[in-house]
Amino acid sequence: MPAFVTTFFRWLFCIDPIESDVKDPVQKLMNGMRVTSKCRYNASVRLKRQSQFSFLSTTVLSLGLILVPLLQNSDIRLAFPPKVLNMLQIFLAVAVLVYSVINATARYETRSEALNECGDKIKDLIRNLRREVAESESSGVSVDLAKYNQRYDDVSIDAENHTRVDFMLASLEMKSDYRYTGLLRAFMYFRAGVLYAVPYAVPTLLLAGEVVFVTDMLGVSKIFTPFLQPVSQDA
């Protein structure tokens, strides 16, 4: 079998070792800190995006809650009777209240800042370790790894731990440390994307449902209309 075919199959099925085998304890500690700092930064960005999307969702739901009674008081012909529109207003009011309480309890902004600060501290620790390693090579004095391990543990517990999706994205981005190739790399991207999108599923469905209901109400679309019209006629 030609060499390029063997190389292609090894790349496609990720046969080669994924993580490089590091023997030097200093480099091993440094690599671990680099991965952790990258994971903390990813977690910080993830929480910040969730906070922004939660704010957007609450805003859109609140605007829908305001729009429905304004349309009711106008002379525009609406596809739904008043009882159905009142039901929508009650649902939107409860959704905004519950979603606001959940967002306040989640403390996305505070947690994001703590994780970003933790990543910065680990980066500073890496720079200090590199500087001390360079000085030790010239002076011949060994680096006190126990001290850096303790400081690393102290810094790591300052914030919450990152999630699996944060580590998956970090390992995919750090190609020199984790060599995911071929089908395994594609599967990792797909799995990370699914895990990353899970927190956005419910608010996205709420926003889509509100938009569809408003367009149905104005007669632009007829998605919910066939299901709600018989109820309105019975009423």
Side-chain angles (χ1 to χ4, degrees):
M1 184 179 293
F4 73 90
V5 176
T6 304
T7 303
F8 172 74
F9 274 100
R10 294 180 69 88
W11 174 87
L12 182 63
F13 296 105
C14 195
I15 298 176
D16 295 328
I18 295 176
E19 188 174 357
S20 56
D21 186 17
V22 180
K23 301 296 183 181
D24 184 14
V26 176
Q27 188 62 40
K28 193 171 185 178
L29 174 61
M30 198 175 300
N31 290 347
M33 290 192 293
R34 286 174 53 248
V35 173
T36 303
S37 64
K38 183 64 176 176
C39 291
R40 297 301 165 90
Y41 285 133
N42 287 346
S44 175
V45 173
R46 174 176 54 82
L47 291 176
K48 187 174 182 179
R49 288 175 178 172
Q50 289 184 15
S51 175
Q52 293 172 345
F53 191 78
S54 299
F55 176 77
L56 174 64
S57 301
T58 305
T59 302
V60 174
L61 291 174
S62 301
L63 291 176
L65 182 61
I66 298 173
L67 178 63
V68 173
L70 291 178
L71 292 176
Q72 280 185 283
N73 293 329
S74 64
D75 295 330
I76 300 176
R77 181 179 178 182
L78 302 178
F80 298 126
K83 287 186 176 181
V84 176
L85 298 178
N86 293 336
M87 175 197 69
L88 176 63
Q89 293 180 60
I90 296 173
F91 173 77
L92 289 177
V94 175
V96 170
L97 177 61
V98 173
Y99 206 57
S100 300
V101 172
I102 292 176
N103 293 335
T105 307
R107 300 182 298 108
Y108 291 124
E109 290 290 343
T110 304
R111 293 161 59 195
S112 176
E113 292 176 0
L115 285 165
N116 187 76
E117 184 179 354
C118 180
D120 291 338
K121 291 180 179 179
I122 295 177
K123 282 288 187 180
D124 291 337
L125 192 59
I126 294 174
R127 285 192 289 267
N128 293 335
L129 179 57
R130 285 175 177 171
R131 183 175 62 252
E132 190 166 334
V133 168
E135 294 174 354
S136 66
E137 291 177 353
S138 58
S139 62
V141 180
S142 61
V143 179
D144 187 2
L145 287 182
K147 178 185 70 174
Y148 278 95
N149 273 303
Q150 183 61 46
R151 292 174 60 184
Y152 175 46
D153 292 338
D154 294 339
V155 170
S156 298
I157 63 177
D158 286 344
E160 65 181 277
N161 199 9
H162 51 266
T163 61
R164 180 177 294 274
V165 66
D166 301 318
F167 174 74
M168 291 174 63
L169 292 175
S171 61
L172 288 170
E173 294 169 2
M174 303 175 70
K175 297 181 180 180
S176 60
D177 298 281
Y178 299 93
R179 292 185 290 271
Y180 292 105
T181 59
L183 296 176
L184 180 59
R185 187 174 186 84
F187 173 75
M188 292 281 289
Y189 268 118
F190 174 76
R191 186 182 178 189
V194 171
L195 293 176
Y196 207 93
V198 166
Y200 300 94
V202 174
T204 301
L205 289 175
L206 287 175
L207 294 179
E210 180 188 39
V211 171
V212 170
F213 197 98
V214 172
T215 55
D216 282 359
M217 179 177 59
L218 296 175
V220 178
S221 61
K222 294 183 179 180
I223 298 177
F224 292 151
T225 305
F227 303 99
L228 296 177
Q229 203 65 35
V231 177
S232 63
Q233 290 176 358
D234 294 341

